[in-house]
Amino acid sequence: MQVNCKRYGLYLLRWQASTPILAGVGILLASMGQLVAAIVANLIGGLIFFWVDQFIFTSQSLLTHWEVRDNITCVDCGKAARGYRLVRSGDYDKTHDPEPEFRCEECSRKKADELKGRGIRTE
């Protein structure tokens, strides 16, 4: 299983943020009894954190998307090989590129290092 570290980190932060919010609701509703306070706190948490979790797990801005094709001609070295190109990562978006540039594995790694140097996430 491959883990998107950015999504996982946001999820862990969200998990930590839920604790004081739900504890606060539980304290405010403690006079209603522990069971009722727990139920209401969890319902409120569900209403809030459903939307946060939906963003974390479905947001395209947190996704890095690579396209892979067989039998391409590398735009950098001209070698016929399996080709790779970074399609989308954060603000970098070549989804609708009319002339996509595929690179062999070696040249793709060099290009990825260049993009990382410009602050574009490639993993």
Short mmCIF file of all heavy atoms in Angstrom, two decimals, residues 19-65:
data_model
loop_
_atom_site.label_atom_id
_atom_site.label_comp_id
_atom_site.label_asym_id
_atom_site.label_seq_id
_atom_site.Cartn_x
_atom_site.Cartn_y
_atom_site.Cartn_z
N THR A 19 -9.99 16.26 19.19
CA THR A 19 -9.99 15.97 20.63
C THR A 19 -10.45 17.15 21.48
O THR A 19 -11.40 17.00 22.27
CB THR A 19 -8.59 15.48 21.07
OG1 THR A 19 -8.25 14.33 20.30
CG2 THR A 19 -8.56 15.14 22.55
N PRO A 20 -9.84 18.34 21.38
CA PRO A 20 -10.31 19.44 22.24
C PRO A 20 -11.73 19.89 21.90
O PRO A 20 -12.49 20.28 22.80
CB PRO A 20 -9.30 20.56 22.00
CG PRO A 20 -8.56 20.21 20.76
CD PRO A 20 -8.67 18.73 20.59
N ILE A 21 -12.11 19.81 20.63
CA ILE A 21 -13.46 20.22 20.26
C ILE A 21 -14.49 19.30 20.89
O ILE A 21 -15.46 19.74 21.53
CB ILE A 21 -13.62 20.26 18.72
CG1 ILE A 21 -12.76 21.39 18.16
CG2 ILE A 21 -15.08 20.41 18.31
CD1 ILE A 21 -12.64 21.40 16.66
N LEU A 22 -14.27 18.00 20.76
CA LEU A 22 -15.22 17.04 21.32
C LEU A 22 -15.18 17.04 22.84
O LEU A 22 -16.22 16.86 23.50
CB LEU A 22 -14.97 15.65 20.76
CG LEU A 22 -15.15 15.52 19.24
CD1 LEU A 22 -14.87 14.11 18.79
CD2 LEU A 22 -16.52 15.96 18.82
N ALA A 23 -14.02 17.25 23.41
CA ALA A 23 -13.92 17.33 24.88
C ALA A 23 -14.69 18.54 25.39
O ALA A 23 -15.40 18.46 26.41
CB ALA A 23 -12.46 17.40 25.31
N GLY A 24 -14.56 19.67 24.67
CA GLY A 24 -15.29 20.88 25.08
C GLY A 24 -16.79 20.68 25.04
O GLY A 24 -17.51 21.09 25.97
N VAL A 25 -17.28 20.04 24.00
CA VAL A 25 -18.71 19.75 23.90
C VAL A 25 -19.12 18.81 25.03
O VAL A 25 -20.16 19.02 25.67
CB VAL A 25 -19.06 19.15 22.52
CG1 VAL A 25 -20.50 18.65 22.49
CG2 VAL A 25 -18.82 20.17 21.41
N GLY A 26 -18.30 17.81 25.30
CA GLY A 26 -18.60 16.87 26.38
C GLY A 26 -18.68 17.56 27.73
O GLY A 26 -19.56 17.26 28.54
N ILE A 27 -17.78 18.50 27.97
CA ILE A 27 -17.79 19.24 29.25
C ILE A 27 -19.04 20.11 29.36
O ILE A 27 -19.69 20.16 30.40
CB ILE A 27 -16.50 20.09 29.38
CG1 ILE A 27 -15.30 19.16 29.57
CG2 ILE A 27 -16.61 21.09 30.51
CD1 ILE A 27 -13.96 19.85 29.43
N LEU A 28 -19.38 20.79 28.25
CA LEU A 28 -20.57 21.65 28.27
C LEU A 28 -21.85 20.86 28.48
O LEU A 28 -22.80 21.35 29.09
CB LEU A 28 -20.66 22.45 26.97
CG LEU A 28 -19.62 23.54 26.77
CD1 LEU A 28 -19.74 24.13 25.37
CD2 LEU A 28 -19.79 24.63 27.82
N LEU A 29 -21.89 19.66 28.00
CA LEU A 29 -23.11 18.85 28.09
C LEU A 29 -23.06 17.81 29.21
O LEU A 29 -23.95 16.96 29.30
CB LEU A 29 -23.36 18.15 26.75
CG LEU A 29 -23.56 19.06 25.54
CD1 LEU A 29 -23.74 18.24 24.29
CD2 LEU A 29 -24.74 19.99 25.74
N ALA A 30 -22.06 17.87 30.06
CA ALA A 30 -21.90 16.87 31.12
C ALA A 30 -23.11 16.79 32.05
O ALA A 30 -23.42 15.73 32.58
CB ALA A 30 -20.64 17.15 31.92
N SER A 31 -23.80 17.91 32.23
CA SER A 31 -24.97 17.91 33.13
C SER A 31 -26.10 17.04 32.57
O SER A 31 -27.01 16.67 33.31
CB SER A 31 -25.46 19.34 33.33
OG SER A 31 -25.90 19.88 32.10
N MET A 32 -26.05 16.70 31.28
CA MET A 32 -27.09 15.87 30.67
C MET A 32 -26.81 14.38 30.87
O MET A 32 -27.63 13.54 30.49
CB MET A 32 -27.20 16.17 29.18
CG MET A 32 -27.56 17.60 28.87
SD MET A 32 -27.49 17.96 27.12
CE MET A 32 -29.02 17.24 26.58
N GLY A 33 -25.65 14.07 31.44
CA GLY A 33 -25.27 12.67 31.63
C GLY A 33 -24.17 12.30 30.65
O GLY A 33 -24.09 12.84 29.55
N GLN A 34 -23.32 11.38 31.06
CA GLN A 34 -22.16 11.02 30.24
C GLN A 34 -22.54 10.42 28.89
O GLN A 34 -21.94 10.75 27.87
CB GLN A 34 -21.27 10.03 31.01
CG GLN A 34 -20.57 10.65 32.18
CD GLN A 34 -19.73 9.61 32.93
OE1 GLN A 34 -19.91 8.41 32.76
NE2 GLN A 34 -18.81 10.10 33.75
N LEU A 35 -23.52 9.55 28.89
CA LEU A 35 -23.91 8.89 27.64
C LEU A 35 -24.48 9.89 26.63
O LEU A 35 -24.08 9.90 25.47
CB LEU A 35 -24.93 7.78 27.92
CG LEU A 35 -25.38 6.98 26.71
CD1 LEU A 35 -24.18 6.28 26.05
CD2 LEU A 35 -26.45 5.97 27.10
N VAL A 36 -25.37 10.74 27.08
CA VAL A 36 -25.97 11.75 26.19
C VAL A 36 -24.90 12.72 25.70
O VAL A 36 -24.85 13.06 24.51
CB VAL A 36 -27.11 12.51 26.91
CG1 VAL A 36 -27.62 13.67 26.07
CG2 VAL A 36 -28.26 11.56 27.25
N ALA A 37 -24.02 13.15 26.60
CA ALA A 37 -22.95 14.07 26.22
C ALA A 37 -22.04 13.43 25.17
O ALA A 37 -21.65 14.08 24.20
CB ALA A 37 -22.14 14.48 27.44
N ALA A 38 -21.71 12.15 25.34
CA ALA A 38 -20.85 11.45 24.38
C ALA A 38 -21.54 11.33 23.02
O ALA A 38 -20.92 11.55 21.97
CB ALA A 38 -20.47 10.08 24.92
N ILE A 39 -22.83 10.99 23.04
CA ILE A 39 -23.57 10.85 21.79
C ILE A 39 -23.65 12.18 21.04
O ILE A 39 -23.37 12.26 19.84
CB ILE A 39 -24.98 10.26 22.05
CG1 ILE A 39 -24.85 8.80 22.50
CG2 ILE A 39 -25.86 10.38 20.81
CD1 ILE A 39 -26.15 8.20 23.01
N VAL A 40 -24.02 13.24 21.75
CA VAL A 40 -24.13 14.56 21.12
C VAL A 40 -22.77 15.05 20.63
O VAL A 40 -22.65 15.58 19.52
CB VAL A 40 -24.78 15.58 22.09
CG1 VAL A 40 -24.73 16.99 21.53
CG2 VAL A 40 -26.21 15.18 22.40
N ALA A 41 -21.73 14.85 21.43
CA ALA A 41 -20.38 15.27 21.01
C ALA A 41 -19.95 14.54 19.74
O ALA A 41 -19.39 15.15 18.83
CB ALA A 41 -19.38 15.02 22.13
N ASN A 42 -20.22 13.25 19.66
CA ASN A 42 -19.86 12.49 18.46
C ASN A 42 -20.69 12.91 17.25
O ASN A 42 -20.17 12.95 16.13
CB ASN A 42 -19.99 10.99 18.71
CG ASN A 42 -18.81 10.46 19.50
OD1 ASN A 42 -17.68 10.83 19.22
ND2 ASN A 42 -19.07 9.64 20.49
N LEU A 43 -21.96 13.23 17.46
CA LEU A 43 -22.78 13.72 16.34
C LEU A 43 -22.24 15.07 15.83
O LEU A 43 -22.14 15.28 14.62
CB LEU A 43 -24.24 13.85 16.76
CG LEU A 43 -25.00 12.53 16.93
CD1 LEU A 43 -26.38 12.77 17.52
CD2 LEU A 43 -25.11 11.81 15.59
N ILE A 44 -21.90 15.95 16.75
CA ILE A 44 -21.34 17.25 16.35
C ILE A 44 -20.00 17.03 15.64
O ILE A 44 -19.73 17.65 14.61
CB ILE A 44 -21.19 18.18 17.57
CG1 ILE A 44 -22.58 18.61 18.06
CG2 ILE A 44 -20.34 19.40 17.22
CD1 ILE A 44 -22.59 19.36 19.37
N GLY A 45 -19.17 16.15 16.18
CA GLY A 45 -17.90 15.83 15.53
C GLY A 45 -18.11 15.29 14.12
O GLY A 45 -17.40 15.66 13.18
N GLY A 46 -19.09 14.42 13.96
CA GLY A 46 -19.40 13.88 12.63
C GLY A 46 -19.84 14.96 11.66
O GLY A 46 -19.45 14.96 10.49
N LEU A 47 -20.65 15.90 12.15
CA LEU A 47 -21.11 17.00 11.29
C LEU A 47 -19.95 17.89 10.85
O LEU A 47 -19.94 18.37 9.71
CB LEU A 47 -22.15 17.85 12.04
CG LEU A 47 -23.50 17.19 12.28
CD1 LEU A 47 -24.34 18.03 13.22
CD2 LEU A 47 -24.22 16.99 10.95
N ILE A 48 -19.00 18.10 11.72
CA ILE A 48 -17.85 18.96 11.39
C ILE A 48 -16.82 18.19 10.58
O ILE A 48 -16.42 18.62 9.49
CB ILE A 48 -17.17 19.48 12.68
CG1 ILE A 48 -18.12 20.40 13.44
CG2 ILE A 48 -15.86 20.20 12.34
CD1 ILE A 48 -17.62 20.76 14.84
N PHE A 49 -16.39 17.05 11.07
CA PHE A 49 -15.21 16.40 10.51
C PHE A 49 -15.50 15.54 9.27
O PHE A 49 -14.57 15.17 8.57
CB PHE A 49 -14.48 15.62 11.59
CG PHE A 49 -13.90 16.54 12.62
CD1 PHE A 49 -14.40 16.58 13.90
CD2 PHE A 49 -12.88 17.41 12.28
CE1 PHE A 49 -13.88 17.45 14.84
CE2 PHE A 49 -12.35 18.29 13.21
CZ PHE A 49 -12.85 18.31 14.49
N PHE A 50 -16.77 15.28 8.98
CA PHE A 50 -17.08 14.61 7.72
C PHE A 50 -16.55 15.43 6.55
O PHE A 50 -15.92 14.92 5.63
CB PHE A 50 -18.60 14.40 7.58
CG PHE A 50 -19.00 13.94 6.20
CD1 PHE A 50 -18.90 12.60 5.87
CD2 PHE A 50 -19.47 14.84 5.26
CE1 PHE A 50 -19.26 12.17 4.60
CE2 PHE A 50 -19.82 14.41 3.99
CZ PHE A 50 -19.73 13.07 3.66
N TRP A 51 -16.80 16.75 6.60
CA TRP A 51 -16.39 17.64 5.51
C TRP A 51 -14.87 17.79 5.44
O TRP A 51 -14.29 17.84 4.36
CB TRP A 51 -17.06 19.00 5.65
CG TRP A 51 -18.55 18.84 5.69
CD1 TRP A 51 -19.37 18.95 6.79
CD2 TRP A 51 -19.40 18.44 4.61
NE1 TRP A 51 -20.67 18.67 6.44
CE2 TRP A 51 -20.72 18.36 5.11
CE3 TRP A 51 -19.18 18.16 3.27
CZ2 TRP A 51 -21.80 18.01 4.32
CZ3 TRP A 51 -20.27 17.81 2.47
CH2 TRP A 51 -21.55 17.73 3.00
N VAL A 52 -14.25 17.84 6.59
CA VAL A 52 -12.78 17.93 6.62
C VAL A 52 -12.17 16.65 6.05
O VAL A 52 -11.26 16.70 5.22
CB VAL A 52 -12.28 18.20 8.07
CG1 VAL A 52 -10.77 18.18 8.13
CG2 VAL A 52 -12.83 19.50 8.61
N ASP A 53 -12.67 15.50 6.48
CA ASP A 53 -12.16 14.23 5.97
C ASP A 53 -12.41 14.09 4.47
O ASP A 53 -11.56 13.59 3.73
CB ASP A 53 -12.81 13.05 6.70
CG ASP A 53 -12.30 12.89 8.12
OD1 ASP A 53 -11.31 13.55 8.47
OD2 ASP A 53 -12.90 12.11 8.88
N GLN A 54 -13.58 14.54 4.02
CA GLN A 54 -13.88 14.47 2.59
C GLN A 54 -12.85 15.27 1.79
O GLN A 54 -12.37 14.81 0.76
CB GLN A 54 -15.29 14.98 2.31
CG GLN A 54 -15.69 14.80 0.87
CD GLN A 54 -17.13 15.19 0.62
OE1 GLN A 54 -17.76 15.88 1.41
NE2 GLN A 54 -17.67 14.73 -0.49
N PHE A 55 -12.50 16.46 2.27
CA PHE A 55 -11.48 17.26 1.59
C PHE A 55 -10.13 16.53 1.59
O PHE A 55 -9.47 16.41 0.57
CB PHE A 55 -11.31 18.63 2.24
CG PHE A 55 -10.10 19.36 1.73
CD1 PHE A 55 -10.12 19.98 0.50
CD2 PHE A 55 -8.93 19.39 2.47
CE1 PHE A 55 -9.00 20.63 0.00
CE2 PHE A 55 -7.81 20.03 1.99
CZ PHE A 55 -7.84 20.66 0.75
N ILE A 56 -9.74 16.02 2.75
CA ILE A 56 -8.43 15.36 2.88
C ILE A 56 -8.32 14.18 1.92
O ILE A 56 -7.31 14.00 1.26
CB ILE A 56 -8.17 14.91 4.33
CG1 ILE A 56 -7.96 16.12 5.23
CG2 ILE A 56 -6.96 13.98 4.42
CD1 ILE A 56 -7.93 15.79 6.72
N PHE A 57 -9.37 13.37 1.81
CA PHE A 57 -9.27 12.14 1.04
C PHE A 57 -9.70 12.24 -0.42
O PHE A 57 -9.50 11.30 -1.19
CB PHE A 57 -10.02 11.01 1.74
CG PHE A 57 -9.37 10.64 3.04
CD1 PHE A 57 -9.98 10.91 4.24
CD2 PHE A 57 -8.12 10.06 3.06
CE1 PHE A 57 -9.38 10.58 5.45
CE2 PHE A 57 -7.50 9.73 4.25
CZ PHE A 57 -8.12 9.99 5.45
N THR A 58 -10.27 13.38 -0.83
CA THR A 58 -10.69 13.50 -2.23
C THR A 58 -10.09 14.70 -2.95
O THR A 58 -10.23 14.81 -4.16
CB THR A 58 -12.22 13.60 -2.34
OG1 THR A 58 -12.67 14.77 -1.66
CG2 THR A 58 -12.90 12.36 -1.77
N SER A 59 -9.42 15.58 -2.25
CA SER A 59 -8.90 16.80 -2.87
C SER A 59 -7.83 16.48 -3.92
O SER A 59 -6.86 15.78 -3.66
CB SER A 59 -8.29 17.72 -1.81
OG SER A 59 -7.67 18.82 -2.43
N GLN A 60 -8.03 17.01 -5.11
CA GLN A 60 -7.06 16.83 -6.18
C GLN A 60 -5.79 17.64 -5.91
O GLN A 60 -4.73 17.32 -6.44
CB GLN A 60 -7.67 17.24 -7.52
CG GLN A 60 -8.80 16.35 -7.96
CD GLN A 60 -8.37 14.91 -8.16
OE1 GLN A 60 -7.37 14.65 -8.82
NE2 GLN A 60 -9.10 13.98 -7.59
N SER A 61 -5.90 18.70 -5.11
CA SER A 61 -4.72 19.53 -4.83
C SER A 61 -3.69 18.79 -3.98
O SER A 61 -2.54 19.20 -3.92
CB SER A 61 -5.13 20.84 -4.15
OG SER A 61 -5.69 20.58 -2.89
N LEU A 62 -4.08 17.71 -3.34
CA LEU A 62 -3.16 16.93 -2.52
C LEU A 62 -2.60 15.72 -3.28
O LEU A 62 -1.86 14.93 -2.73
CB LEU A 62 -3.86 16.44 -1.25
CG LEU A 62 -4.42 17.52 -0.34
CD1 LEU A 62 -5.21 16.89 0.80
CD2 LEU A 62 -3.31 18.40 0.20
N LEU A 63 -2.96 15.60 -4.55
CA LEU A 63 -2.62 14.42 -5.33
C LEU A 63 -1.51 14.71 -6.33
O LEU A 63 -1.46 15.76 -6.95
CB LEU A 63 -3.87 13.96 -6.10
CG LEU A 63 -3.76 12.71 -6.94
CD1 LEU A 63 -3.55 11.49 -6.04
CD2 LEU A 63 -5.03 12.53 -7.74
N THR A 64 -0.60 13.79 -6.47
CA THR A 64 0.41 13.83 -7.53
C THR A 64 0.02 12.77 -8.55
O THR A 64 -0.17 11.61 -8.20
CB THR A 64 1.81 13.54 -6.96
OG1 THR A 64 2.12 14.55 -6.00
CG2 THR A 64 2.85 13.56 -8.06
N HIS A 65 -0.12 13.17 -9.80
CA HIS A 65 -0.59 12.26 -10.84
C HIS A 65 0.46 12.14 -11.93
O HIS A 65 0.85 13.13 -12.54
CB HIS A 65 -1.90 12.77 -11.43
CG HIS A 65 -2.42 11.95 -12.56
ND1 HIS A 65 -3.08 10.78 -12.37
CD2 HIS A 65 -2.35 12.13 -13.89
CE1 HIS A 65 -3.41 10.27 -13.55
NE2 HIS A 65 -2.97 11.08 -14.50
#
